[in-house]
Amino acid sequence: MHSAQTDKPDVIIREVALRDGLQSEPGFVATGDKLRLIRALAAAGVVFLETTSFVSPRAIPQLKDARELMARVPRDLLCHEVMVPNIRGARAAADAGADRLIVFVSASETHNRKNVGCSIEQSMADLGAISGLAAGGNMAVAAAIATAFGCPYEGRVDKSAVLAIARRFVHEGADRITLADTTGMANPKQITETVAFFKDHLPHTQICLHLHNNRGLAAANLYAGYLAGIEMFDTSLGGIGGCPNVPMAAGNLATEDVANMFEAMGVRTGMDINGLIRAAGLLENILGRALPGQVMKSGTSA
Amino acid sequence: MHSAQTDKPDVIIREVALRDGLQSEPGFVATGDKLRLIRALAAAGVVFLETTSFVSPRAIPQLKDARELMARVPRDLLCHEVMVPNIRGARAAADAGADRLIVFVSASETHNRKNVGCSIEQSMADLGAISGLAAGGNMAVAAAIATAFGCPYEGRVDKSAVLAIARRFVHEGADRITLADTTGMANPKQITETVAFFKDHLPHTQICLHLHNNRGLAAANLYAGYLAGIEMFDTSLGGIGGCPNVPMAAGNLATEDVANMFEAMGVRTGMDINGLIRAAGLLENILGRALPGQVMKSGTSA
């Protein structure tokens, strides 16, 4: 777990390139390269990392090295958050020394079946067991709700349905809820209203936003979320990512672009943007292609 | 000039692909293809078009057909706005039947010299003559101020300096000022403050925002501008564009992405997004490459 920080940032940017990003890549990135990325991210001030996921290596071969990776990651100043689809994954993540378990489900039944091959109820069946395991192992639990703003199969998603799922997670001990716009269907007005709705109904639970750019609105949605009081955002180095089970999935916001935006506005992120740009350059070398991030091409605003 | 509209849109999206977009392309797009694009844009509800610029064909060969294009454009329901660097260009634009002349200058001396090869003062020298010509010809005049939020050569640009330029334009009869973030250096906080500053000091002048995406913030900046009360935005079909004299220039926001955002928020644009997507597809065929617009790949939010 990371140490207490004296200079608390105003917003927390949570890095998901290692999980959401790399699982969308066609090939497997070597564990050694993942470790180089993690060290570069840590050097740039990243604290919260979605480091990997303990899922079936048949389903997501890009993350088949979850155990080995977790055995070798640097621990100082980093919080290693690990996605787990069920109690088996949770046990593996706990054994591997995860700092935090991330449980997840889609707000849309169809998307959940396409994503993990079971119903929403089945996805949530292990929640009590996972929660108990986390409590025993002194791990925090957070929950992510996919397609929270719209589903490519079912269309509009009712925010009351999302809240009902969130309440169950909170009841089982989750202290953070991530609302994920998995396929970039949200608009700034919807973000504003949904955040206000969650702050009304779950005032003691931290809300994190995870925003994809399928319709070019991720940056506007992030800014709307910030104005509505959100203090934690998922981003991905270089802007890589997208859900493998979603048609035309587009990437996350680039970590370095979001950090640059906040710092230019005088909102402290605790990050060194030039360090992030170097890390994005490393990722570009590892993946062997140009990445969608903009600040790595244009430089910082400063 | 366009006819009076009964269903006045809430925001005006002004199309700049024909000028800002195409002048950044390596090749010349045939006049016939430009006309097909204009017809497709008009069919999708676009009214305000930056149709071309009467500049030296040596400087910008992509727009060398300005006279021929203007002779053949459809006129119904369209407002053809034409950029003019000096009185010679203004006379040519007037002869060609421009509905509105757009004069322009950079807020940064260095950028102005790189862009048009003369000082800010020299750029503004013909203003009185252009204004007289427009008044005589019953044409409106608007002004665009480049690098209004930052300059790649000079860095920070003082908003008081931008206001001083704007005041001179308004004094000479400009009824609209476009603040252009030519190289994507603005952030949402700066947009908010600058718009408030202009609304305070030039309350009777329409302000339009022209936002580039070099640092991934154009959508957030547009949303900040909308919240600050801006009702007119420049966008470019398919997200093409960028200034040829700026290093690493990135595109404009895609017209179809911005229209989709506003319509999803219940803000009327007067545009048919599927028609815009078809127009963007036509542009993609003409240019022979994938364009950065997202909605043309992912579909509308509806």
Side-chain angles (χ1 to χ4, degrees):
Chain A
M1 184 66 81
H2 65 289
S3 329
Q5 293 191 293
T6 45
D7 275 330
K8 194 172 169 291
D10 301 314
V11 294
I12 293 174
I13 299 179
R14 184 174 169 276
E15 176 59 50
V16 301
L18 276 293
R19 201 280 307 164
D20 190 354
L22 293 187
Q23 83 172 35
S24 305
E25 292 297 315
F28 174 73
V29 169
T31 309
D33 284 336
K34 292 179 183 175
L35 290 164
R36 288 165 66 207
L37 283 169
I38 293 172
R39 285 192 293 265
L41 287 163
V46 169
V47 172
F48 295 89
L49 269 179
E50 197 165 280
T51 309
T52 188
S53 178
F54 279 86
V55 287
S56 154
R58 270 172 296 110
I60 304 185
Q62 296 91 334
L63 305 181
K64 66 185 177 188
D65 63 341
R67 187 177 307 274
E68 185 195 349
L69 180 66
M70 286 297 292
R72 296 171 61 191
V73 289
R75 297 280 173 169
D76 258 14
L77 299 172
L78 288 175
C79 180
H80 290 286
E81 307 196 350
V82 175
M83 288 195 101
V84 298
N86 49 37
I87 183 65
R88 200 165 57 143
R91 286 200 193 98
D95 289 346
D99 295 308
R100 181 182 277 269
L101 303 179
I102 313 291
V103 294
F104 61 97
V105 72
S106 297
S108 141
E109 194 67 44
T110 312
H111 184 268
N112 203 67
R113 287 180 187 277
K114 299 230 181 208
N115 198 34
V116 291
C118 68
S119 70
I120 292 176
E121 275 310 311
Q122 288 167 315
S123 269
M124 297 186 84
D126 289 355
L127 203 50
I130 293 171
S131 168
L133 177 80
N138 216 13
M139 289 176 293
V141 177
I145 305 177
T147 64
F149 298 92
C151 168
Y153 310 110
E154 297 187 6
R156 198 156 184 83
V157 169
D158 181 19
K159 61 182 184 297
S160 300
V162 182
L163 179 67
I165 292 171
R167 278 193 202 282
R168 290 177 63 182
F169 281 130
V170 171
H171 182 75
E172 292 291 351
D175 62 356
R176 187 176 83 213
I177 301 288
T178 294
L179 300 178
D181 185 23
T182 311
T183 65
M185 292 179 74
N187 66 68
K189 181 162 177 268
Q190 186 185 12
I191 295 276
T192 305
E193 291 168 358
T194 303
V195 169
F197 180 77
F198 270 77
K199 284 189 168 278
D200 273 358
H201 289 87
L202 283 177
H204 306 299
T205 303
Q206 184 175 32
I207 305 295
C208 172
L209 290 181
H210 178 106
L211 303 164
H212 282 259
N213 200 38
N214 304 52
R215 287 166 184 82
L217 298 184
N221 288 337
L222 178 130
Y223 181 60
Y226 171 73
L227 291 179
I230 295 293
E231 293 171 346
M232 189 173 205
F233 300 93
D234 282 2
T235 63
S236 178
L237 191 68
I240 65 170
C243 178
N245 298 303
V246 164
M248 303 298 303
N252 293 275
L253 285 167
T255 303
E256 63 279 14
D257 292 5
V258 172
N260 176 67
M261 180 190 90
F262 280 126
E263 293 289 339
M265 292 168 60
V267 177
R268 288 172 311 161
T269 63
M271 293 189 180
D272 164 21
I273 303 168
N274 287 314
L276 290 174
I277 292 174
R278 282 192 295 275
L282 172 63
L283 179 57
E284 199 161 65
N285 284 340
I286 290 170
L287 297 179
R289 61 182 172 85
L291 304 182
Q294 289 287 347
V295 166
M296 65 189 292
K297 301 172 184 114
S298 304
T300 67
S301 294
Chain B
M1 186 66 82
H2 66 288
S3 329
Q5 292 192 294
T6 45
D7 275 331
K8 195 171 167 291
D10 301 314
V11 294
I12 293 174
I13 299 180
R14 184 174 170 276
E15 177 59 51
V16 302
L18 276 295
R19 202 280 307 165
D20 190 355
L22 293 187
Q23 83 172 35
S24 306
E25 291 297 315
F28 174 72
V29 169
T31 310
D33 283 336
K34 292 180 183 174
L35 289 164
R36 289 165 66 206
L37 283 170
I38 292 173
R39 285 192 293 268
L41 288 163
V46 169
V47 173
F48 295 90
L49 269 179
E50 197 165 280
T51 309
T52 187
S53 178
F54 279 85
V55 287
S56 154
R58 271 173 295 111
I60 306 186
Q62 296 92 334
L63 305 182
K64 64 185 178 189
D65 63 341
R67 187 177 307 272
E68 185 195 350
L69 180 66
M70 286 299 291
R72 297 170 61 189
V73 288
R75 297 280 173 169
D76 259 14
L77 299 173
L78 289 175
C79 181
H80 291 287
E81 307 196 349
V82 175
M83 289 195 100
V84 298
N86 48 37
I87 183 66
R88 200 165 59 142
R91 287 201 193 97
D95 290 345
D99 295 309
R100 181 182 276 270
L101 304 179
I102 313 291
V103 294
F104 61 96
V105 72
S106 298
S108 139
E109 194 67 45
T110 312
H111 184 267
N112 203 67
R113 287 180 186 277
K114 299 230 181 209
N115 198 33
V116 290
C118 67
S119 71
I120 292 176
E121 275 311 311
Q122 287 167 316
S123 270
M124 298 187 83
D126 289 355
L127 203 51
I130 294 172
S131 167
L133 177 80
N138 216 14
M139 290 177 293
V141 177
I145 305 177
T147 64
F149 298 93
C151 168
Y153 310 110
E154 297 187 6
R156 197 155 186 85
V157 169
D158 181 19
K159 60 182 183 298
S160 299
V162 182
L163 178 67
I165 293 171
R167 277 193 203 281
R168 289 178 64 182
F169 282 130
V170 170
H171 182 75
E172 293 290 351
D175 61 357
R176 187 176 84 212
I177 300 288
T178 294
L179 300 177
D181 186 22
T182 311
T183 64
M185 292 179 74
N187 66 68
K189 181 164 177 267
Q190 185 185 11
I191 295 276
T192 305
E193 291 168 357
T194 302
V195 170
F197 180 76
F198 269 78
K199 284 190 169 278
D200 272 0
H201 288 88
L202 285 178
H204 306 300
T205 303
Q206 183 175 33
I207 306 294
C208 172
L209 290 181
H210 178 105
L211 304 165
H212 282 259
N213 200 38
N214 305 52
R215 287 167 185 82
L217 297 185
N221 287 337
L222 179 130
Y223 181 60
Y226 170 73
L227 291 180
I230 295 293
E231 292 172 347
M232 189 171 205
F233 300 93
D234 283 1
T235 63
S236 178
L237 192 68
I240 65 170
C243 178
N245 299 303
V246 164
M248 304 297 304
N252 293 276
L253 286 166
T255 303
E256 63 279 13
D257 292 5
V258 172
N260 175 67
M261 180 191 89
F262 280 126
E263 293 289 338
M265 291 167 60
V267 177
R268 289 172 312 161
T269 64
M271 293 190 180
D272 164 21
I273 303 168
N274 287 313
L276 291 174
I277 292 173
R278 283 192 294 276
L282 172 61
L283 179 57
E284 198 161 66
N285 284 340
I286 289 170
L287 297 179
R289 62 182 172 85
L291 303 182
Q294 288 287 346
V295 166
M296 65 189 293
K297 302 173 185 112
S298 303
T300 68
S301 295

